[in-house]
Amino acid sequence: MTETILNLAPSLGERAKAALGKRNLVLVGLMGAGKSAIGRIVAQQLGLSFVDTDTEIERVSRMSISELFAAYGEEEFRALETRVIKRLLRTGPRVVSTGGGAFINEKTRKQIERGGLSVWLNADLDVLWERVNKRDHRPLLKTENPKQTLKDLMDKRYPIYALADITVQSRDVRKEVIANEVLTSVIEYIGKDKTQ
Ligand SMILES: Nc1ncnc2c1ncn2[C@@H]1O[C@H](COP(=O)(O)OP(=O)(O)O)[C@@H](O)[C@H]1O
Ligand SMILES: O=C(O)C1=C[C@@H](OP(=O)(O)O)[C@@H](O)[C@H](O)C1
Ligand SMILES: [Mg+2]
């Protein structure tokens, strides 16, 4: 006779979802940190919808990020990014993976602070470089020395990413490992935050 053993313990995703309640989860960090890739997995585990802000911007504008930068410049791109993120946060809860510059823009950062829990995927230069140098769709890295550009962006942006609610170290391990660390950190952070 076969016996079915039911595991009734809540999964990591279920526990993190209960902790998160109605809040959005917003991934921030530099290009190549894994925001888009990890956000998708985290959303699956939470049973929430997933949106990558660059993908959403490309959908509404019917242009690629590179085309937008070329046609309208970074300032216009940032204004569009702010509007898109505001709408996505208002219509959540969901997992939102932002583009690397979003959290650096003060207006967008305030929206994220109000509208969700932010997670910085921190990573060192070699990890980022290894990942971004395989593709060429990032307009800010179309420079003579893209690795140095990435380093300059790290110096400028890391103090600001550090303002995020939670930091998780992105590194050379399976994506699922990082995704689980994000979920565990959410549970720990909300457990400690007695104001919620
Ligand atoms: N933990 C990981 N291990 C291996 N590859 C990863 C990991 N996280 C991300 N990647 C890969 O690195 C590249 C950049 O990741 P992506 O999610 O696009 O970064 P971001 O959105 O932060 O710029 C993608 O090809 C992605 O599949
Ligand atoms: O760091 C930035 O300013 C940018 C990062 C990109 O997103 P990823 O961080 O997902 O590559 C994209 O939004 C755009 O190229 C600008
Ligand atoms: Mg991305």
Side-chain angles (χ1 to χ4, degrees):
M1 201 173 88
T2 55
E3 237 180 282
T4 310
I5 300 167
L6 290 175
N7 182 3
L8 296 174
S11 67
L12 183 59
E14 285 166 340
R15 283 165 51 219
K17 187 172 186 185
L20 204 53
K22 293 204 164 70
R23 279 172 283 206
N24 293 288
L25 190 64
V26 186
L27 300 192
V28 307
L30 205 55
M31 294 173 269
K35 303 177 294 297
S36 304
I38 304 297
R40 182 177 296 282
I41 300 171
V42 167
Q44 269 165 6
Q45 300 216 33
L46 287 170
L48 287 177
S49 69
F50 168 70
V51 182
D52 185 272
T53 63
D54 284 339
T55 309
E56 182 63 8
I57 289 167
E58 289 181 334
R59 190 183 70 79
V60 297
S61 67
R62 298 190 199 165
M63 291 170 90
S64 71
I65 302 295
S66 291
E67 285 166 349
L68 276 167
F69 267 71
Y72 302 113
E74 182 170 352
E75 209 177 312
E76 280 300 311
F77 171 77
R78 295 298 169 207
L80 181 55
E81 186 174 52
T82 304
R83 286 206 299 281
V84 164
I85 292 177
K86 185 176 183 185
R87 172 172 56 78
L88 292 176
L89 293 175
R90 221 180 33 218
T91 53
R94 52 165 58 97
V95 176
V96 178
S97 289
T98 60
F103 200 66
I104 306 306
N105 181 288
E106 199 177 344
K107 202 166 168 191
T108 311
R109 188 169 64 254
K110 296 281 176 240
Q111 286 172 359
I112 296 171
E113 281 166 2
R114 278 195 299 273
L117 198 67
S118 52
V119 180
W120 174 26
L121 290 184
N122 184 6
D124 67 35
L125 180 61
D126 288 331
V127 168
L128 296 172
W129 176 244
E130 190 53 41
R131 292 179 187 166
V132 298
N133 82 21
K134 295 187 180 124
R135 306 258 331 255
D136 70 345
H137 66 293
R138 293 180 170 93
L140 293 183
L141 295 180
K142 285 180 181 145
T143 60
E144 260 181 38
N145 186 346
K147 191 171 181 184
Q148 183 60 44
T149 304
L150 204 52
K151 168 85 177 63
D152 293 342
L153 284 170
M154 283 177 78
D155 292 343
K156 230 167 69 192
R157 291 179 171 184
Y158 273 26
I160 302 174
Y161 292 139
L163 299 170
D165 297 316
I166 293 169
T167 299
V168 169
Q169 190 69 28
S170 182
R171 54 200 190 277
D172 212 359
V173 295
R174 287 175 50 241
K175 293 172 195 170
E176 286 71 17
V177 173
I178 308 293
N180 281 353
E181 288 183 14
V182 169
L183 295 170
T184 306
S185 306
V186 166
I187 295 168
E188 277 172 12
Y189 177 84
I190 292 175
K192 276 190 219 127
D193 183 8
K194 300 293 177 214
T195 63
Q196 301 296 326

